[in-house]
Amino acid sequence: MCPHNPPCPSAYARDHDAARLVAFHPEQGWGLLCNGVVVFEDTGELLPDGRSVPTHRACCAQAA
C-alpha cells in the first residue's frame, strides 16, 4: 500500500512512471518505484507480475 498522499499510480496505470522512487542503485543501473515497478537506466521496466516493458527512449534526430 502506498503511504504517499496523493497515492502513487498503480503499476498498471498509464502513468505508472510517476510513482515515487523508493530505492535507487545508480551503480547497478536500476531503481524501485513505490508501486513495485523496477526501472532501468536504459528506460526498460519490470512490472511486479514479471512482465517486462521494453526501452522507450525517443529516437534522436540526425543533423542534416
Side-chain angles (χ1 to χ4, degrees):
M1 188 86 184
C2 176
H4 303 113
N5 191 12
C8 293
S10 84
Y12 305 102
R14 180 180 291 255
D15 62 344
H16 66 265
D17 288 339
R20 292 191 187 188
L21 195 61
V22 294
F24 185 49
H25 296 276
E27 70 283 358
Q28 296 174 354
W30 66 274
L32 176 65
L33 301 179
C34 182
N35 56 13
V37 175
V38 177
V39 292
F40 298 96
E41 66 182 13
D42 69 355
T43 71
E45 301 171 352
L46 186 60
L47 301 177
D49 65 4
R51 289 185 292 151
S52 62
V53 177
T55 60
H56 46 274
R57 289 187 205 179
C59 185
C60 299
Q62 291 184 337

